[in-house]
Amino acid sequence: MSGTVSQLPVAIAGTGSYVPERVLTNADLEIMVETSDEWITTRTGIKERRIAAEDEFTSHMAAKASRKALEQAEMDASELQLIIVATITPNTLTPATACYLQHDLGAHRAVAFDISAACSGFLYAMKLAERLISDGAFENALILGAEKLSAFVNWDDRSTCVLFGDGAGAAILKRAEEGEGKILATDIGTDGGQTDLLNIPGGGSACPITIENADQRLATLAMVGGDVFKQAVTRMRDSANSVIERSGLKPEDIKLLIPHQANLRIIEAITKRIEIPQERVFVNLHKYGNTSAAACAIALDEAHRADKFGRGDHIVLVAFGAGLTWAAAAIRW
Ligand code: ACO
């Protein structure tokens, strides 16, 4: 599903991110499961990831990222009209993590809800918020990708536990003023025929956790890594190309590509196919691993604060995740 230039242009007024203090390195994982720094580094590019404290929930990390974004946008939480949290690791199945966040921030006027689109969730939220603002339904929105994946990882399964980490990223969207940047084009897509490639099989209505199945750890991430890898490359290539073309841009116009941070080999494969040189691609997965919906959001904030792009520059975000889902956005900053 594609969206081109909005009637009312929508800009990103501020970004923020937060990662927990505790660092889990590849060397730490070597003690926990049969793996090696060499295997993890060559297969994924990941060196370490952050792990939230036991009493640090998804909404707490989201609140910390949100406060930074609000500060940068020079906005008070009471001005927010809409909050969308993209997460697959909510505080509770219900109510939505966005409700806890709304209360924590004191954003009393904001309508708040969650969306579940795995690693593509932040860009799904961006598209939704951009449309709702551009249609005039809301003046502004706080969107987040926030995950406590460490609570849904089987720490005895070496094929998945080395990949994931915790964190949150936020962005404030608002109607663009004259001369400000804007979201140029967005793209989201889903293939529900491949739900078996990447999922958390237990803990939902299809397979509640019971005393009988409790020892099978069904409420943890399961993945057919190789198949996901191939799908990730083609879907992200196509989604990124779609927003680049519809924005009237060429690869050489892109100041920075911010791809989903799952695997360095996937990133290298898609950037070759989009024909963007590696030095114009933002990578931070070596520090955080795959933080699912939070990955693009944290990367956007880090790149922004590191002045990797500025006013007038064109950037492209692209993501892929369970569902299968994929999404991209082209933005003039
Ligand atoms: N340490 C050492 N060996 C390992 C480890 C480990 N941590 N994990 C797996 N292995 C072994 C396997 O057992 C296998 O051994 P075998 O050949 O004897 O059977 C071997 O390494 C190769 O395993 P593969 O799965 O073929 O490894 P691959 O090269 O495919 O890399 C990886 C695996 C990193 C998971 C890769 O497939 C990948 O990145 N996939 C995509 C992940 C992704 O993009 N996810 C996106 C969304 S995530 C979301 O939505 C929540």
Side-chain angles (χ1 to χ4, degrees), residues 138-159:
F138 296 89
E139 281 173 21
N140 62 53
L142 167 65
I143 60 165
L144 292 113
E147 302 284 12
K148 184 173 178 174
L149 286 159
S150 61
F152 296 88
V153 160
N154 178 352
W155 290 102
D156 290 334
D157 175 10
R158 69 175 182 173
S159 70

Side-chain angles (χ1 to χ4, degrees), residues 132-191:
L132 289 168
I133 295 169
S134 103
D135 287 352
F138 296 89
E139 281 173 21
N140 62 53
L142 167 65
I143 60 165
L144 292 113
E147 302 284 12
K148 184 173 178 174
L149 286 159
S150 61
F152 296 88
V153 160
N154 178 352
W155 290 102
D156 290 334
D157 175 10
R158 69 175 182 173
S159 70
T160 52
C161 77
V162 303
L163 304 173
F164 299 102
D166 301 334
I172 309 271
L173 272 58
K174 65 167 188 55
R175 283 187 205 154
E177 306 290 336
E178 191 68 32
E180 284 185 339
K182 62 182 177 187
I183 297 169
L184 296 170
T186 51
D187 177 62
I188 57 176
T190 307
D191 176 2

